[in-house]
Amino acid sequence: MDARGKRDLLPRVGLLGCVAWLTGLPVLVVLWGATHPFGEPGAGFTLKYLHKVFLSGDYVEPLINTLMLSAAVSVLASLLALVLAFATVRGGLGWRAGWEALILSPIFISPFVGAIGWITLAQPGAGILNAVARALGLPEVDIFTWGGCILTMGLFFTPFAYGLIVHGLDRLNPEIEEAAETCGASTLARLRRITLPLIWPAVLSGLIFTFVLSMEMFSIPGILLVPQGAPFLSFSIFQRTTRWPLDYSEAAAAGVLLLLLTIAGMVLYAWSVRRQERFVAVGPKAARDSGAGASPALRGLAAALIVLYVLASVVLPVGAIALRALLPYFSGEFALSDFTLQNVADTLRDGLVRQAIVNSLLVTILASLMLVLLAYLIAVVNVRRSSLISRASALLAGLPIAVPGVLFGVGLLRLYIATPVYATIWLIVLVMLARFLPILVRMFETSLIQIGAVLEEAARVSGAREPTLTLRIRLPLLIGTLRSAFVLGGTQVLNELTASALLTTSSSIVLPVVVFNYMFDGDYPRACSVALLQVVLLAMVVAIVSLLARGKRRSAATPHGK
């Protein structure tokens, strides 16, 4: 090993240790905790918790319910994504980037906040839509059903499936379908025998990925279906760690079951992604718009489908939350004079809510900064200076993709419960780093590969060192990625509930947990007020990051001395 290699070895090993501590250690603690009683010093190895989860039959119903709900949600989300992908790619719409931004906008809203919006809209007897339905003589709807839960979760997981499916549809060569049309194949025949078979691996990827996401969510089923007597695996883990009697070891054993299901899903997802390479259709000789020539009726239908989806997933639920937060009560009728800021004012006077706002902002800022820095370092060493150590760091950084958030919560809870970190916001920051590190690492790796290494190599020849390369070359070229990383990381951190609900206390509580607790206690007006505050903070985070990035681009484009 040369001098440079020895000089770089220590930082790489340190980075590997940091990633292993963040992502690997909590999982190991869960596996250990599933076979060792918590709070019993000297207690040895035992299989009673694993036996209860896997063999006693106590978890059969939660497991079946989890699989049924996840399967239904994944099918709905993938079908919606498939329709929206055809609307954007084949619908002949102009300004495609804008339409896609609308479709992806639910990613920046917490699914649980969206669920609160739909509860406000479709709650039996008191929902806004039900009030309208009664006035029109139409039947009312009930959100507290399996259908309501599936619809709510499906709406907010659709963007994840869309990102996978639209990529497969984009790569499809329209010349193949044109040849079939020339041979007399009808539109339905082309769709059934050419288009769908070629994009089926992408659809399968969307199905599996949304299935995995659905399995780990406990908040929406916990509010909509658990009160109706339907237990779920992730909610059972939540109960074992937050409701009396506490049983961290049984929660860890249930987490192992959820982990095995998730790993199986991610293995299938990886297999489906690899299969997509077998279905690549070489593109046409000249670039062409596959939606060119679409009729005005088709364009109108495509636009209407996208607008309808955005209304159902963003506009209606957020509007309902704002409406309910500004009304002292809702009896089915209201006038403009009924609107008041009293609910919001009472919410802001609540010391717990004020503490949650401060904690949420601190966690968002700290976790976002640390996420971007750590993801950038992992991506740089893996892309620019690949080695066994850097590849191991990247592999461990991707581990959280296959680990449910609730499992990270259980692991960190057992790991730090007897340390000064417990009951502080630093424990929440740690779980955020572990949860969202894979997403940002992939973003930076993709961008570094795209910009290439030619400029960096030329700078090294001229004597530039790593700090200069970072400040003068990489960061200016990665300004768009940095903005996206801060926006995506910040919004996901601010919205995260699955893991943080297990770790917060009265001194470290964050807004999503406050919203969940109010909803669980049936205090809908207060829950809507806090949810509205969360949406406002989210919009502020996105706006501030966008303005800072725009100012940075302008300063970079201005010649020195002017």
Side-chain angles (χ1 to χ4, degrees):
M1 181 181 296
D2 57 14
R4 178 182 171 185
K6 292 180 180 179
R7 187 173 62 248
D8 291 345
L9 180 61
L10 184 59
R12 293 189 189 189
V13 173
L15 184 63
L16 175 60
C18 178
V19 176
W21 170 57
L22 284 173
T23 63
L25 190 57
V27 178
L28 293 177
V29 170
V30 169
L31 297 177
W32 183 88
T35 56
H36 292 79
F38 181 79
E40 300 180 19
F45 178 85
T46 178
L47 293 175
K48 67 177 182 178
Y49 301 107
L50 293 174
H51 181 275
K52 182 175 183 179
V53 171
F54 285 86
L55 300 177
S56 68
D58 292 352
Y59 281 81
V60 171
E61 187 178 1
L63 175 60
I64 292 175
N65 288 340
T66 298
L67 294 176
M68 289 173 56
L69 178 65
S70 300
V73 169
S74 63
V75 169
L76 176 61
S78 298
L79 285 175
L80 290 174
L82 184 61
V83 171
L84 294 172
F86 270 99
T88 52
V89 177
R90 301 294 177 86
L93 298 173
W95 194 52
R96 176 174 166 179
W99 291 108
E100 288 196 334
L102 289 175
I103 294 172
L104 296 175
S105 59
I107 289 179
F108 300 105
I109 298 177
S110 167
F112 186 65
V113 169
I116 294 175
W118 271 103
I119 290 173
T120 307
L121 289 166
Q123 183 182 2
I128 297 173
L129 286 183
N130 284 330
V132 175
R134 286 196 302 271
L136 297 176
L138 299 174
E140 297 186 23
V141 294
D142 185 359
I143 194 67
F144 293 95
T145 60
W146 277 80
C149 186
I150 292 168
L151 176 62
T152 303
M153 293 177 64
L155 285 173
F156 291 95
F157 286 147
T158 293
F160 298 96
Y162 173 84
L164 296 167
I165 294 174
V166 76
H167 175 65
L169 192 60
D170 263 333
R171 295 191 304 172
L172 182 61
N173 185 354
E175 290 179 352
I176 302 175
E177 296 165 287
E178 292 169 1
E181 183 180 10
T182 303
C183 295
S186 64
T187 301
L188 184 60
R190 296 197 305 271
L191 182 66
R192 181 173 58 87
R193 304 192 64 176
I194 297 177
T195 308
L196 290 180
L198 286 174
I199 66 171
W200 170 245
V203 175
L204 182 61
S205 297
L207 280 166
I208 297 171
F209 192 61
T210 51
F211 182 86
V212 171
L213 291 177
S214 302
M215 279 197 301
E216 72 171 45
M217 175 165 284
F218 71 84
S219 55
I220 296 179
I223 291 295
L224 297 182
L225 295 181
V226 169
Q228 317 304 320
F232 291 88
L233 190 56
S234 57
F235 193 82
S236 298
I237 298 173
F238 170 75
Q239 284 184 310
R240 297 294 181 273
T241 55
T242 58
R243 300 289 189 266
W244 191 263
L246 304 177
D247 195 333
Y248 298 117
S249 296
E250 186 175 332
V256 172
L257 174 58
L258 189 59
L259 176 62
L260 293 176
L261 292 173
T262 307
I263 290 175
M266 293 310 299
V267 170
L268 287 174
Y269 171 72
W271 170 80
S272 66
V273 170
R274 287 195 301 270
R275 277 183 59 86
Q276 291 187 47
E277 301 302 323
R278 298 173 54 188
F279 289 80
V280 173
V282 178
K285 296 178 181 179
R288 76 173 60 176
D289 181 6
S290 57
S295 66
L298 182 59
R299 292 192 183 96
L301 177 61
L305 289 171
I306 296 174
V307 170
L308 183 62
Y309 170 72
V310 175
L311 282 173
S313 60
V314 178
V315 178
L316 284 178
V318 173
I321 289 172
L323 187 67
R324 189 65 184 89
L326 298 177
L327 288 172
Y329 61 89
F330 182 75
S331 60
E333 298 180 358
F334 61 89
L336 290 177
S337 58
D338 295 331
F339 286 97
T340 175
L341 293 174
Q342 190 61 45
N343 284 341
V344 178
D346 291 342
T347 299
L348 289 174
R349 281 195 291 267
D350 189 332
L352 186 66
V353 174
R354 292 201 301 269
Q355 182 68 48
I357 292 174
V358 173
N359 289 342
S360 293
L361 290 174
L362 286 175
V363 168
T364 300
I365 293 170
L366 292 172
S368 298
L369 290 172
M370 296 170 70
L371 271 171
V372 170
L373 176 61
L374 190 57
Y376 169 79
L377 293 175
I378 294 171
V380 166
V381 298
N382 191 41
V383 173
R384 293 291 188 257
R385 298 183 180 181
S386 182
S387 66
L388 181 61
I389 296 177
S390 63
R391 288 193 294 273
S393 298
L395 180 63
L396 283 174
L399 178 64
I401 293 178
V403 180
V406 68
L407 192 66
F408 267 113
V410 173
L412 289 174
L413 185 66
R414 293 208 57 166
L415 186 59
Y416 293 103
I417 197 168
T419 70
V421 176
Y422 182 70
T424 68
I425 63 170
W426 290 108
L427 189 57
I428 312 300
V429 170
L430 287 176
V431 78
M432 299 304 175
L433 292 178
R435 285 280 284 155
F436 303 116
L437 187 59
I439 302 174
L440 270 62
V441 169
R442 296 297 177 268
M443 290 177 63
F444 279 109
E445 284 182 342
T446 301
S447 297
L448 286 169
I449 292 172
Q450 288 177 341
I451 65 176
V454 176
L455 292 177
E456 298 174 35
E457 293 170 357
R460 283 197 182 93
V461 172
S462 301
R465 297 196 175 187
E466 193 63 30
T468 303
L469 292 175
T470 298
L471 296 175
R472 301 293 296 275
I473 297 179
R474 291 193 192 121
L475 293 186
L477 292 174
L478 292 172
I479 188 65
T481 304
L482 286 169
R483 180 193 60 181
S484 300
F486 274 113
V487 169
L488 185 59
T491 54
Q492 295 303 308
V493 168
L494 187 58
N495 287 330
E496 169 61 23
L497 171 63
T498 303
S500 57
L502 278 66
L503 302 173
T504 56
T505 62
S506 58
S507 61
S508 63
I509 196 166
V510 289
L511 280 175
V513 180
V514 174
V515 177
F516 180 79
N517 289 340
Y518 279 139
M519 285 299 296
F520 200 79
D521 294 337
D523 192 346
Y524 294 164
R526 188 66 62 88
C528 287
S529 298
V530 181
L532 183 61
L533 289 174
Q534 184 176 331
V535 172
V536 171
L537 288 178
L538 182 66
M540 290 173 56
V541 169
V542 175
I544 290 172
V545 172
S546 299
L547 288 174
L548 290 176
R550 181 178 299 178
K552 181 68 176 177
R553 287 198 302 269
R554 287 178 178 175
S555 63
T558 302
H560 293 292
K562 294 187 179 182

